[in-house]
C-alpha cells in the first residue's frame, strides 16, 4: 500500500482517441515484440497515454503526423512543482528479473525546456526507473537499487531518442510511466506559456519474453478496453430477471429496419419453452438503434432462460444474456444495495462481518476521518484553486468543529447535507410507506440490512438494538446533520446572525484524485478539512428530514423523536426570518446569487452535482410539508398551500402545492423530465402529505389526481415504442454550453440519468399504491429493466447484477482498476449512467461526444469517468426504494417451516426469517434458497474458469475443509453452491463436467 499519496490533480485530462471508430481504438498492437505499452506510435489513437493537470496549470494536446503534441497554456500549477503538468501511461506490470528495453523520442519548440520522467508506483512515492539528463539515458531509480537522476533532460528542437534497460528486482503491478514538465520551485521544471512538446515511438519491450513469445507473461492485454462499453448481445433485457406475474419485455436491435422476427425462449437445458414474433418499433434516437419489441409476458414459469432471435449472426449476438423468471429476483440486490450506506459511514471503521458482498476482508478498512474536525469558512472556495500550497493563507482557521459521522460522497470524502438529505428522505419514506401498508416488519433487526447494533461518535453512544434497521441507518446521517447546525456558542463567524442554520457540507480543501485512501497509515494522513457556509437549502433539508424522522421514531425512541422535532422547529423559525432574502424573484436571483448572498449554493466544481441552487422555494415547501405531516400545525399548512413555482412553461404545470411535477428546472438547460431530485423537492413534500393522517381527504384527492396524471405521462412515454424502443420513462434534456458563443446546444441524457429513471419509477409505484392498477406496477418494473440491461449498451448499471455489469464505479477506495492493492467494488452499487454532455475528458478521450454519440451510449465503465460512472448517496437510495417496493408487492417466496410436536414447555425459536412462539411446538425455519447469480461461478469471482470446477470437486471430495461450512478460507459459499448447480439437481460431479463443457463451448 501507499505510505503517502501525492496530492495530485484537480481533474483528469485524458487524451483524445482521434480514430474515426471504436474499432480502430480496440485494434491490438501489430508487432512481433512483446510490448508492455498499450500505444506506441500515435498513428490513430492516444489512450492509454493521457495528460493530467493540477489547476491552475493547463495544457492541451492533439495527435499530429503520428506524434503526441502538447501545448502548455498555464505552466504553473497548484503545488508549483514539475508534477503539476503530466503526460502518463498507467496500469503497467513488470516481472522480477525480466529485462525491459525502454525508449522514446521527444522534442520541444524551445531549446532548454526541462523534462523529467520515471516509471514508478501509482501513488507517485516510489520511483523505479529514471530519466537522467546528465547521462542522457534512463537507469534504475532510488526505489529499485539505483539512484536519482543528475538533472532533467533539456529538450531541443530536434528529435532526441532516449533509451535504457529496466530490470526490476521484484514483481510490480499497477505502475505508471510519467513525464513531468510544469514550472517548479524546488524540483526542476522551467515551463513557459506557449511551450510545446512532441512525443513519438514510446516503447517498453520485454526482452525476456521476446525470447519465447508464445509463452510471454508480459505485454499489454489485447482485451483491455479502458472502460469502453460495447454491447455483447443485441437482445437487450433485464439481466437480473422478471417477476412471474408481471410484464416481460425485451428489445432486439438491428442495423437496419426489418419486418417482425421470430424468437424462442430457451431454458438452461436448451429446450424451447415459448415462441413469438417481435414487434418492429423503428429507430430509437436515444439508443441509436433500430428496435424490435420482444414481449413474452404470457410465459410465467420460474427458471433460468435465454432469448434466441431467428436472425442468426456470426457473433452470436442474436442470443441474449441469461436471466431469471421468479418471485424473488431482487432479494439479494436489495440487501447489497443497502450495504452501500454502511460502507460509506464516516466516523466508523468498515468491518468485514457487516459487508454483504465482494472480498469482504479487503473491502473492510479504517476510516481516515474517524474524528472529523474541520474549519468553518466565511466564504466559498472553488476546490480547483485552493490547494495545500496556499492552505495557511486561503482558508479561515478561526473556528473548528467536530462534525464526525454521516455518509461520504463517493469522491473527495465530502459530506453534503443536500445529497444526504435526499437520501435520508428516501430511506425514511421507504419505511413510512412500508408502515402504511403493514409491511414494516421487514426492517426489523438483521432481516434486510447488515449494520452494527451500536456505535459511538464523538463520545455519543447510540444503541440500534430492537429498532428498525432502516431507521438506524438514516439516523446515522441525521446525527451528523445535527452536528452541522450553527451553534452561537461555538461559532463566532455565523453564530450571531445565523444560529440554527445548517452548514452546507464538510469536505477536503481541495479535490482528490481516485483512488485516494491511505487507509493503512491513518496517522500520516493529514489534509485540511473545511465546513462550507450555512445555506438555505441545507437548512431546509435538515428541517424536512428531522420532521419526517420525528413521526417515524415516535413510539420507538420518543426521546430521539422529540430531539428531531425540536431541531426542525428551531431551524424553521431561524430560516423563515430570511424569507424575503431566499424567496425566488425573477430577474434578481440567478446562477450567481451566491455572490451577493453566501447562503445560496454556488458552482464549485464539475464533480459536484450539488452546485448551483439559487431557487430554494421548493425546499421550503418540502420542509413545511414535513412539519405539517408530523404536527398538523396550521402555520406550516398556511405556508405550504401558497407555494407556486415561478416557472411558466406548459411542462411546469404541477410545480405548485400538492403537485407532482413531470418537469424540473435545470441550470443551462430546458429542464429535466422528472418529479424530484436533489435540488428540486416539490414531489418529496407532496408524497409525504399523501401518506400523512394530518392531510384532509380533499387534499389527498388532489394529490392522487396529480400523482396519477404524472404517472400516466411516464407510462405514455414507455408505451411510445415508435420513438422509445427501450421503453424507458425518460426523454431528452436540451441544454446549452456556457463556454461557447454563440451557445452550442445539445439534446440527450442528463447527469445521473439512471437516478432520474429510478425516481420516475417511484412515482409510478405510488400510483399503483393509490389505484391498485397493475399498469403502474408494470411501468415501474419496466423502468428498472432499463437500469439492469434493457438499454442502448445492453449493460447493467448495478455492480454484480447481471452477466454484463458495471465494475469500476468512481470511488476513493474501490480502486482495483488502477491499483490492485485496492478492492473491487461490492455488489449492488448503481452508477449515474449515460450523460450526453460527457463532461469529463476521459470519456471524450474514447471518442464519445455530444454531437456524434447516441445519448444511451455516452457511458464508460472506468473509475476515471466521473461524469458517467459515479454513484451517489441519493441516486443509490432511488434504486433501494424500488427494490424494497417490488419485494413487498411481488415477492412470494414461501418461508419453509417444519413443525414437530413435543411435550416440553414453551419453546421460542428465532431465525433469520421467522420468529415463532408456541407452547407445545418447536419451530425450525429454513431460509429461502439462494438464487443463481452467475451460472457456474462457484467461487463467486465473477468469472467462469477451471477454478470453479476445482472448487466444486474439492467441496464434494472434502466437505469438512471445502464444503459450505468448511475450515478452509476459500471454502464454497451458499452463493457458490447456487451458482455451481448448473444442472438444477444439487451440487454434483455432473455440474463440474457441465462447466468444463461450457468452457470448451460444447
Amino acid at each position: 500500500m501507499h505510505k503517502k499519496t501525492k496530492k495530485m490533480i484537480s481533474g483528469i485530462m485524458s487524451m483524445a482517441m482521434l480514430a474515426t471508430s471504436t474499432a480502430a481504438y480496440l485494434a491490438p498492437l501489430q508487432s512481433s515484440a512483446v510490448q508492455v505499452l498499450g500505444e506506441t506510435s500515435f498513428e490513430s489513437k492516444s489512450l492509454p497515454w493521457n495528460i493530467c493537470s493540477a489547476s491552475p496549470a493547463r495544457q492541451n494536446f492533439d495527435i499530429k503526423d503520428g506524434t503526441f503534441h502538447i501545448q502548455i497554456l498555464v505552466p504553473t500549477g497548484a503545488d508549483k512543482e514539475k508534477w503539476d503538468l503530466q503526460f502518463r501511461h498507467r496500469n503497467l506490470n513488470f516481472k522480477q528479473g525480466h529485462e525491459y528495453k525502454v525508449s522514446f523520442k521527444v522534442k520541444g519548440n524551445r531549446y532548454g525546456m526541462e523534462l523529467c520522467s520515471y516509471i514508478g508506483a501509482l501513488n507517485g512515492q516510489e520511483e523505479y526507473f529514471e530519466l537522467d539528463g546528465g547521462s542522457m539515458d534512463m537507469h534504475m531509480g532510488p526505489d529499485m537499487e539505483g539512484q536519482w537522476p543528475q538533472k532533467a533532460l533539456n529538450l531541443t528542437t530536434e528529435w532526441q531518442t532516449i533509451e535504457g534497460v529496466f530490470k526490476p528486482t521484484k514483481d510490480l503491478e499497477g505502475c505508471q510511466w510519467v513525464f513531468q514538465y510544469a514550472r517548479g520551485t524546488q524540483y526542476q521544471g522551467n515551463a513557459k506559456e506557449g511551450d510545446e512538446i512532441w512525443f513519438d515511438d514510446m516503447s517498453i519491450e520485454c526482452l525476456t519474453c521476446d525470447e519465447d513469445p508464445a509463452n510471454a507473461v508480459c505485454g499489454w492485454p489485447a482485451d483491455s478496453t479502458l472502460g469502453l462499453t460495447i454491447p455483447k448481445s443485441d437482445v437487450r433485457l433485464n439481466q437480473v430477471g422478471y417477476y412471474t406475474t408481471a410484464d416481460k419485455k425485451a428489445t432486439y436491435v438491428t442495423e437496419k429496419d426489418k419486418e417482425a422476427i421470430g424468437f424462442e425462449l430457451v431454458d438452461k437445458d436448451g429446450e424451447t419453452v415459448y415462441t413469438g414474433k417481435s414487434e418492429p418499433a423503428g429507430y430509437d434516437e436515444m439508443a441509436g438503434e433500430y428496435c424490435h419489441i420482444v414481449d413474452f409476458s404470457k410465459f410465467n414459469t420460474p427458471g433460468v432462460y435465454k432469448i434466441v432471435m431467428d436472425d442468426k449472426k456470426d457473433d452470436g449476438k442474436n442470443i441474449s444474456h441469461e436471466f431469471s423468471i421468479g418471485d424473488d429476483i431482487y432479494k439479494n440486490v436489495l440487501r447489497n444495495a443497502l450495504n452501500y450506506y454502511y460502507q460509506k459511514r464516516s466516523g466508523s471503521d468498515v468491518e468485514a462481518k457487516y459487508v454483504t458482498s465482494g472480498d469482504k476482508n479487503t473491502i473492510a478498512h479504517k476510516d481516515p476521518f474517524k474524528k472529523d474536525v474541520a474549519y468553518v469558512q466565511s466564504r466559498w472556495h472553488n476546490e480547483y484553486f485552493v490547494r495545500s500550497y496556499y492552505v495557511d493563507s486561503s482558508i479561515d482557521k478561526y473556528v473548528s468543529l467536530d462534525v464526525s459521522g454521516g455518509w461520504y460522497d463517493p469522491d473527495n470524502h465530502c459530506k453534503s447535507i443536500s445529497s444526504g438529505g435526499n437520501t435520508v428522505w428516501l430511506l425514511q419514506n421507504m419505511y413510512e410507506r412500508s408502515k402504511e401498508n403493514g409491511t414494516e416488519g421487514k426492517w426489523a433487526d438483521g432481516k434486510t440490512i447488515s449494520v452494527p447494533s451500536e456505535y459511538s461518535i464523538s463520545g455519543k453512544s447510540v444503541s440500534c438494538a430492537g429498532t428498525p434497521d432502516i431507521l438506524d441507518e438514516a439516523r446515522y446521517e441525521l446525527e451528523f446533520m445535527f452536528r452541522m447546525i450553527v451553534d452561537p456558542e461555538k461559532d463566532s463567524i455565523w453564530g450571531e446572525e445565523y444560529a440554527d442554520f445548517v452548514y452546507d457540507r464538510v469536505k477536503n480543501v481541495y479535490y482528490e484524485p481516485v483512488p485516494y485512501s491511505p487507509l493503512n497509515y491513518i496517522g500520516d494522513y493529514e489534509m485540511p478539512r473545511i465546513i462550507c457556509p450555512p445555506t438555505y437549502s441545507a437548512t431546509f433539508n435538515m428541517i424536512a428530514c428531522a420532521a419526517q424522522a420525528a413521526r417515524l421514531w415516535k413510539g420507538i425512541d420518543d426521546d430521539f423523536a422529540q430531539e428531531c422535532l425540536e431541531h426542525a422547529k428551531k431551524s424553521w423559525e431561524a430560516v423563515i426570518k430570511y424569507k424575503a432574502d431566499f424567496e425566488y424573484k425573477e430577474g434578481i436571483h440567478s446562477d450567481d446569487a451566491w455572490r451577493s448572498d453566501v447562503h445560496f449554493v454556488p458552482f464549485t466544481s464539475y464533480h459536484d452535482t450539488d452546485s448551483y441552487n439559487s431557487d430554494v422555494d421548493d425546499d421550503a415547501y418540502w420542509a413545511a410539508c414535513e412539519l405539517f405531516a408530523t404536527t398538523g400545525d396550521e402555520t406550516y399548512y398556511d405556508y405550504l398551500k401558497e407555494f407556486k413555482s415561478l416557472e411558466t412553461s406548459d411542462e411546469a404545470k404541477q410545480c405548485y402545492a400538492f403537485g407532482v411535477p413531470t418537469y424540473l428546472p435545470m441550470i443551462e438547460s430546458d429542464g429535466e423530465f422528472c418529479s424530484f431530485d436533489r435540488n428540486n423537492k416539490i414531489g418529496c413534500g407532496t408524497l409525504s402529505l399523501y401518506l400523512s393522517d394530518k392531510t384532509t381527504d380533499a387534499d389527498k384527492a388532489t394529490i392522487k389526481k396529480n400523482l396519477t396524471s404524472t404517472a400516466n405521462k411516464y407510462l405514455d412515454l414507455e408505451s411510445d415504442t415508435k420513438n422509445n424502443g427501450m421503453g424507458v420513462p425518460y426523454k431528452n434534456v436540451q441544454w446549452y454550453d456556457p463556454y461557447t458563443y454563440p451557445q452550442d446546444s445539445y439534446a440527450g441524457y442528463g447527469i445521473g440519468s439512471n437516478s432520474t429513471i429510478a425516481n420516475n419509477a417511484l412515482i409510478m409505484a405510488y400510483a399503483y399504491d393509490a389505484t391498485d392498477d397493475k399498469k403502474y406496477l408494470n411501468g415501474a418494473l419496466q423502468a428498472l429493466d432499463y437500469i439492469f440491461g434493457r438499454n442502448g449498451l445492453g449493460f447493467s448499471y448495478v455492480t454484480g447484477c447481471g452477466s454484463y455489469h458495471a465494475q469500476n464505479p468512481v470511488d476513493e477506495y474501490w480502486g482495483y482498476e488502477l491499483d490492485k492493492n485496492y478492492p473491487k467494488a461490492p455488489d449492488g452499487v448503481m452508477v449515474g449512467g449515460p450523460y450526453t454532455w460527457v463532461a469529463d475528458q476521459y470519456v471524450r478521450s474514447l471518442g464519445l461526444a455530444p454531437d456524434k454519440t447516441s445519448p444511451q451510449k455516452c457511458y464508460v465503465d472506468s473509475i476515471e469517468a466521473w461524469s458517467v460512472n459515479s454513484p451517489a448517496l441519493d441516486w443509490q437510495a432511488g434504486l433501494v426504494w424500488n427494490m424494497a417496493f417490488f419485494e413487498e408487492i411481488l415477492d412470494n417466496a414461501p418461508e419453509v417451516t417444519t413443525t414437530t410436536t413435543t411435550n416440553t414447555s414453551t419453546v421460542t425459536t428465532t431465525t433469520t426469517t421467522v420468529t415463532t412462539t408456541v407452547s407445545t411446538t418447536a419451530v425450525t425455519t429454513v431460509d429461502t434458497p439462494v438464487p443463481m447469480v452467475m451460472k457456474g461461478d462457484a467461487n463467486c469471482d465473477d468469472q467462469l474458469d477451471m477454478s470453479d470446477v476445482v472448487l466444486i470437486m474439492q467441496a464434494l471430495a472434502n466437505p469438512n475443509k471445502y464444503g459450505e461450512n468448511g475450515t478452509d478460507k476459500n471454502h464454497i459459499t451458499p452463493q457458490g453452491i447456487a451458482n455451481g448447480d448448473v444442472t438444477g439437481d444439487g451440487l454434483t460431479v455432473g455440474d463440474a463436467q457441465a462447466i468444463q463443457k461450457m468452457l470448451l463451448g460444447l
Side-chain angles (χ1 to χ4, degrees):
M1 288 293 287
H2 316 288
K3 180 59 181 172
K4 290 186 179 176
T5 307
K6 189 157 294 180
K7 300 158 179 72
M8 181 63 202
I9 77 170
S10 60
I12 295 170
M13 294 287 291
S14 298
M15 299 300 83
M17 185 277 291
L18 300 181
T20 57
S21 71
T22 56
Y25 162 71
L26 291 171
L29 296 172
Q30 301 299 316
S31 174
S32 59
V34 178
Q35 182 59 245
V36 176
L37 298 178
E39 176 56 41
T40 62
S41 63
F42 309 119
E43 293 298 330
S44 62
K45 67 182 181 72
S46 61
L47 281 171
W49 287 101
N50 60 81
I51 57 173
C52 60
S53 311
S55 292
R58 288 182 60 204
Q59 58 184 326
N60 209 342
F61 74 94
D62 60 9
I63 304 299
K64 189 174 183 179
D65 300 326
T67 67
F68 194 95
H69 176 216
I70 296 171
Q71 309 100 45
I72 295 176
L73 307 177
V74 180
T76 304
D79 284 344
K80 292 188 175 181
E81 293 297 349
K82 61 184 179 183
W83 51 74
D84 288 336
L85 290 173
Q86 296 186 10
F87 172 55
R88 70 187 184 189
H89 187 311
R90 294 173 133 184
N91 285 337
L92 301 175
N93 302 318
F94 302 94
K95 288 295 183 180
Q96 177 182 357
H98 282 217
E99 291 190 355
Y100 301 86
K101 180 182 178 181
V102 181
S103 62
F104 67 97
K105 288 170 56 178
V106 65
K107 70 177 181 177
N109 70 333
R110 174 173 66 87
Y111 181 85
M113 181 183 177
E114 293 182 344
L115 180 70
C116 299
S117 179
Y118 68 88
I119 294 173
L122 189 68
N123 61 10
Q125 299 302 296
E126 296 178 8
E127 301 187 11
Y128 309 128
F129 200 58
E130 299 280 353
L131 169 63
D132 195 328
S135 55
M136 295 297 292
D137 65 359
M138 294 192 75
H139 58 68
M140 304 298 278
D143 295 298
M144 197 60 70
E145 301 178 4
Q147 61 189 12
W148 292 103
Q150 301 171 48
K151 56 179 288 190
L153 175 68
N154 290 320
L155 298 184
T156 68
T157 56
E158 300 296 327
W159 286 106
Q160 298 181 77
T161 298
I162 307 297
E163 297 180 341
V165 175
F166 178 39
K167 189 173 181 179
T169 58
K170 61 181 179 180
D171 287 348
L172 301 171
E173 291 188 358
C175 296
Q176 59 180 348
W177 186 5
V178 180
F179 292 86
Q180 301 173 336
Y181 39 84
R183 188 169 192 83
T185 54
Q186 300 182 58
Y187 305 105
Q188 298 113 6
N190 63 355
K192 298 179 181 178
E193 181 181 348
D195 278 348
E196 299 177 67
I197 312 174
W198 288 263
F199 289 96
D200 198 6
D201 294 344
M202 321 297 294
S203 178
I204 302 179
E205 180 185 350
C206 182
L207 302 177
T208 305
C209 288
D210 279 351
E211 296 175 0
D212 185 11
N215 296 306
V217 295
C218 298
W220 184 255
D223 60 352
S224 176
T225 66
L226 300 173
L228 188 66
T229 306
I230 301 172
K232 294 184 177 181
S233 169
D234 288 339
V235 186
R236 312 292 165 76
L237 45 66
N238 186 328
Q239 297 172 30
V240 176
Y242 300 84
Y243 283 99
T244 54
T245 59
D247 285 353
K248 307 170 193 68
K249 295 179 182 178
T251 299
Y252 183 59
V253 302
T254 58
E255 293 182 358
K256 58 184 180 180
D257 208 2
K258 289 187 175 183
E259 298 296 322
I261 302 171
F263 71 87
E264 297 179 348
L265 190 64
V266 178
D267 66 17
K268 63 181 180 179
D269 295 322
E271 299 295 325
T272 298
V273 296
Y274 183 83
T275 61
K277 286 272 190 180
S278 69
E279 176 191 342
Y283 189 75
D284 184 341
E285 291 188 0
M286 295 297 103
E289 306 276 11
Y290 287 97
C291 297
H292 286 243
I293 308 303
V294 179
D295 190 340
F296 52 105
S297 301
K298 294 180 180 179
F299 185 81
N300 57 14
T301 302
V304 178
Y305 303 95
K306 288 184 178 180
I307 291 173
V308 180
M309 302 300 299
D310 187 15
D311 187 32
K312 189 172 182 179
K313 298 182 177 180
D314 292 339
D315 56 9
K317 286 189 174 182
N318 62 312
I319 303 173
S320 76
H321 296 287
E322 272 191 349
F323 63 94
S324 296
I325 295 176
D327 294 321
D328 61 348
I329 58 173
Y330 289 133
K331 184 171 184 179
N332 286 344
V333 179
L334 176 60
R335 186 173 181 83
N336 291 333
L338 280 165
N339 198 236
Y340 179 82
Y341 297 104
Y342 170 71
Q343 295 190 40
K344 289 299 159 192
R345 286 186 175 188
S346 169
S348 298
D349 297 336
V350 175
E351 298 182 62
K353 63 183 178 181
Y354 298 114
V355 177
T356 62
S357 65
D359 185 343
K360 299 178 182 180
N361 290 327
T362 307
I363 288 173
H365 61 267
K366 294 182 180 297
D367 179 18
F369 301 108
K370 198 161 187 177
K371 185 173 183 181
D372 197 358
V373 177
Y375 298 110
V376 176
Q377 300 302 294
S378 61
R379 63 196 186 283
W380 288 91
H381 293 288
N382 186 323
E383 65 186 25
Y384 290 144
F385 292 92
V386 181
R387 294 280 301 186
S388 57
Y389 189 85
Y390 305 105
V391 162
D392 288 338
S393 60
S394 65
I395 67 172
D396 300 320
K397 290 190 173 181
Y398 311 114
V399 178
S400 63
L401 299 175
D402 184 344
V403 286
S404 302
W407 300 311
Y408 291 123
D409 285 332
D411 56 5
N412 211 32
H413 289 104
C414 177
K415 297 187 293 188
S416 163
I417 297 297
S418 292
S419 60
N422 203 35
T423 305
V424 168
W425 182 83
L426 280 162
L427 298 184
Q428 291 185 158
N429 178 266
M430 182 170 66
Y431 176 80
E432 188 166 22
R433 187 205 154 272
S434 295
K435 188 176 180 182
E436 181 78 7
N437 290 278
T439 55
E440 72 272 25
K442 68 183 292 181
W443 304 114
D445 272 354
K447 266 199 143 182
T448 307
I449 310 178
S450 177
V451 292
S453 59
E454 61 180 355
Y455 59 86
S456 179
I457 300 289
S458 300
K460 179 179 179 179
S461 296
V462 177
S463 173
C464 304
T467 55
D469 282 342
I470 194 64
L471 292 187
D472 293 333
E473 191 60 75
R475 178 175 181 170
Y476 198 88
E477 176 73 8
L478 276 170
E479 296 276 7
F480 160 69
M481 289 183 172
F482 298 160
R483 292 186 187 92
M484 292 284 279
I485 297 173
V486 177
D487 183 344
E489 295 184 2
K490 297 179 180 178
D491 184 352
S492 59
I493 298 175
W494 300 109
E496 184 175 349
E497 295 186 33
Y498 295 96
D500 295 312
F501 268 55
V502 178
Y503 304 110
D504 195 80
R505 70 193 76 175
V506 57
K507 64 173 189 174
N508 294 327
V509 72
Y510 50 81
Y511 189 74
E512 297 172 348
V514 291
Y516 189 62
S517 294
L519 301 172
N520 284 356
Y521 40 86
I522 301 301
D524 293 342
Y525 189 59
E526 295 181 4
M527 179 179 296
R529 301 272 286 169
I530 58 174
I531 299 171
C532 296
T535 61
Y536 302 119
S537 62
T539 305
F540 286 128
N541 266 266
M542 188 283 292
I543 293 169
C545 292
Q548 181 190 34
R551 62 180 179 267
L552 300 179
W553 280 95
K554 188 176 182 180
I556 298 173
D557 185 337
D558 289 336
D559 290 340
F560 183 63
Q562 185 60 33
E563 179 187 354
C564 291
L565 188 57
E566 288 176 359
H567 282 309
K569 286 182 173 181
K570 286 181 67 176
S571 291
W572 175 267
E573 291 170 2
V575 72
I576 208 66
K577 296 175 184 176
Y578 293 87
K579 181 180 177 182
D581 295 329
F582 70 69
E583 279 191 324
Y584 191 87
K585 299 176 182 65
E586 193 70 41
I588 296 178
H589 286 155
S590 69
D591 306 339
D592 290 331
W594 65 277
R595 296 187 185 279
S596 58
D597 188 342
V598 72
H599 305 295
F600 287 109
V601 179
F603 172 84
T604 55
S605 82
Y606 289 106
H607 292 254
D608 182 10
T609 51
D610 284 345
S611 288
Y612 290 135
N613 193 1
S614 59
D615 181 357
V616 297
D617 289 350
D618 56 292
D619 299 84
Y621 166 75
W622 172 41
C625 288
E626 299 296 348
L627 280 164
F628 174 73
T630 298
T631 67
D633 190 328
E634 292 295 322
T635 302
Y636 307 120
Y637 182 83
D638 291 342
Y639 185 93
L640 70 88
K641 72 178 182 180
E642 299 299 324
F643 168 71
K644 185 175 183 180
S645 171
L646 292 181
E647 290 287 334
T648 57
S649 66
D650 289 340
E651 289 183 305
K653 286 181 179 178
Q654 284 212 46
C655 289
Y656 52 69
F658 311 115
V660 183
T662 54
Y663 164 90
L664 298 174
M666 286 179 60
I667 300 300
E668 303 292 353
S669 89
D670 288 341
E672 180 92 50
F673 190 64
C674 188
S675 298
F676 68 92
D677 64 13
R678 186 178 305 173
N679 292 325
N680 298 274
K681 299 297 181 56
I682 301 169
C684 299
T686 298
L687 291 177
S688 286
L689 290 177
Y690 187 66
L691 292 179
S692 176
D693 58 1
K694 306 295 192 300
T695 306
T696 65
D697 290 342
D699 286 342
K700 284 194 175 184
T702 299
I703 294 172
K704 181 178 178 179
K705 178 181 177 182
N706 292 334
L707 173 64
T708 54
S709 174
T710 294
N712 287 336
K713 288 183 173 63
Y714 295 148
L715 287 178
D716 290 344
L717 194 61
E718 286 186 335
S719 301
D720 183 14
T721 56
K722 297 302 179 184
N723 297 295
N724 185 8
M726 298 298 168
V728 58
Y730 189 85
K731 63 181 180 180
N732 64 297
V733 178
Q734 183 165 355
W735 63 90
Y736 308 95
D737 187 346
Y739 302 102
T740 59
Y741 183 83
Q743 284 186 318
D744 292 335
S745 64
Y746 303 102
Y749 276 32
I751 194 166
S753 58
N754 286 342
S755 168
T756 302
I757 292 163
N759 289 347
N760 292 351
L762 182 153
I763 297 300
M764 289 185 279
Y766 260 102
Y768 173 74
D769 275 349
T771 64
D772 205 29
D773 190 331
K774 195 173 180 180
K775 68 180 182 182
Y776 297 116
L777 175 60
N778 282 319
L781 286 164
Q782 183 168 307
L784 271 293
D785 289 346
Y786 171 89
I787 302 296
F788 289 108
R790 189 186 175 193
N791 53 56
L793 293 172
F795 186 79
S796 170
Y797 293 110
V798 183
T799 58
C801 295
S803 304
Y804 186 33
H805 58 76
Q807 298 187 65
N808 303 304
V810 176
D811 190 79
E812 294 292 351
Y813 189 60
W814 305 325
Y816 184 85
E817 179 190 4
L818 294 180
D819 186 338
K820 300 304 184 283
N821 288 311
Y822 288 90
K824 294 180 179 179
D827 296 344
V829 180
M830 184 181 78
V831 299
Y835 178 30
T836 300
W837 201 0
V838 286
D840 67 86
Q841 291 295 322
Y842 188 89
V843 180
R844 294 194 180 210
S845 73
L846 289 171
L848 281 64
D851 57 347
K852 67 179 182 180
T853 307
S854 301
Q856 288 186 17
K857 294 179 179 177
C858 290
Y859 172 79
V860 170
D861 182 22
S862 173
I863 194 173
E864 299 194 70
W866 62 262
S867 71
V868 297
N869 215 36
S870 287
L873 295 168
D874 49 337
W875 298 351
Q876 181 77 3
L879 171 70
V880 165
W881 195 102
N882 281 285
M883 295 298 97
F885 171 80
F886 296 144
E887 184 178 280
E888 290 183 20
I889 297 298
L890 291 165
D891 272 25
N892 296 309
E895 294 166 340
V896 182
T897 304
T898 53
T899 303
T900 305
T901 303
T902 129
N903 295 318
T904 59
S905 57
T906 301
V907 179
T908 301
T909 302
T910 303
T911 70
T912 56
T913 34
V914 172
T915 302
T916 308
T917 303
V918 293
S919 57
T920 59
T921 305
V923 179
T924 304
T925 303
V926 181
D927 285 338
T928 303
V930 177
M932 179 185 292
V933 173
M934 181 177 177
K935 186 175 182 179
D937 183 20
N939 59 8
C940 300
D941 65 351
D942 295 328
Q943 299 181 46
L944 187 64
D945 51 36
M946 281 300 296
S947 64
D948 299 302
V949 176
V950 171
L951 181 58
I952 290 174
M953 296 302 294
Q954 288 176 323
L956 295 172
N958 190 354
N960 290 334
K961 185 174 182 179
Y962 295 105
E964 181 177 349
N965 298 308
T967 57
D968 191 90
K969 66 177 183 179
N970 295 316
H971 70 82
I972 199 165
T973 65
Q975 184 63 67
I977 293 173
N979 291 346
D981 182 16
V982 296
T983 59
D985 56 354
L987 198 65
T988 67
V989 173
D991 294 306
Q993 295 171 338
I995 293 172
Q996 291 181 69
K997 290 180 180 179
M998 291 164 61
L999 293 172
L1000 293 171
L1002 301 177

